[in-house]
Amino acid sequence: YKHHEYDLQDIISELPITQEYGIGPFDVALFFQNKPFSVIMQSSSEFLDPSWRWKNSLSISHEIHSCSYIKEWEKSFLHIVDSPQYDIYLHSTSITQTKEYLSNGWQAIVYLNSAILYNQEGYAGHYVYLITIEENQVWIQDSHWQYGGEKSYSWEVFHQALQSGGDYIIWVT
């Protein structure tokens, strides 16, 4: 990230990675907590309560805190919702909005279904770094061990993979 360097082992040690579940988008977003970054968590995932899309962070926090049982992912989500460092937008992104964030210096970690990118059957949740969008072409840096590298996809294919993965983008500046 601009003007900040982090050792991979330090990053890994701070993230709640498990062999059984890997790591979720909310957990990745938490890496930036207590660091000099502003973060926007964007998602329209079916995983989230649809009524939250029109609520502010305080209302969502109150609703989760008032539940008798809080799921593991909700605990991570609460850290994001309760932090003044984070903004939450629970709606899908458009190509125009994505280009605007990128042009304003925001960087994006995207969680998507890489099976769509690699023309495979099924679902494969995966993180990529969004480099830029030129015209309707999306450029990503993919860390996948087999298919990785700098890749280019049409906005339509990228957006389909994004939506299939839960529509999670972690914007950082």
Side-chain angles (χ1 to χ4, degrees), residues 9-160:
Q9 291 306 314
D10 291 339
I11 294 170
I12 290 169
S13 70
E14 289 189 43
L15 296 174
I17 301 170
T18 66
Q19 189 169 4
E20 184 178 356
Y21 296 108
I23 181 165
F26 303 133
D27 302 319
V28 170
L30 287 174
F31 170 76
F32 300 100
Q33 197 166 31
N34 303 319
K35 293 182 176 57
F37 294 103
S38 294
V39 179
I40 295 173
M41 180 76 191
Q42 184 171 3
S43 175
S44 66
S45 174
E46 295 174 9
F47 188 48
L48 301 172
D49 185 330
S51 71
W52 292 353
R53 291 188 186 136
W54 312 113
K55 295 181 179 178
N56 62 28
S57 296
L58 187 62
S59 298
I60 295 169
S61 174
H62 177 71
E63 193 171 315
I64 295 173
H65 281 294
S66 65
C67 291
S68 58
Y69 173 75
I70 299 177
K71 299 172 188 157
E72 279 304 310
W73 71 267
E74 289 175 321
K75 291 176 185 174
S76 295
F77 189 58
L78 269 175
H79 288 292
I80 295 167
V81 173
D82 290 343
S83 173
Q85 179 183 0
Y86 293 87
D87 285 325
I88 307 241
Y89 297 112
L90 300 179
H91 56 78
S92 186
T93 191
S94 68
I95 190 168
T96 304
Q97 181 187 39
T98 304
K99 284 180 177 179
E100 183 180 320
Y101 276 120
L102 290 171
S103 69
N104 287 328
W106 289 86
Q107 298 178 63
I109 300 169
V110 179
Y111 185 76
L112 44 67
N113 180 359
S114 64
I116 291 172
L117 299 182
Y118 305 128
N119 296 314
Q120 297 177 343
E121 295 293 318
Y123 180 84
H126 184 60
Y127 294 97
V128 298
Y129 174 76
L130 179 57
I131 299 171
T132 191
I133 300 175
E134 297 171 0
E135 301 294 321
N136 285 333
Q137 209 57 23
V138 177
W139 290 88
I140 63 170
Q141 178 63 42
D142 189 344
S143 62
H144 191 279
W145 68 275
Q146 185 177 7
Y147 304 109
E150 192 169 297
K151 305 282 184 168
S152 170
Y153 300 94
S154 69
W155 170 259
E156 291 75 23
V157 170
F158 172 80
H159 199 243
Q160 182 184 1

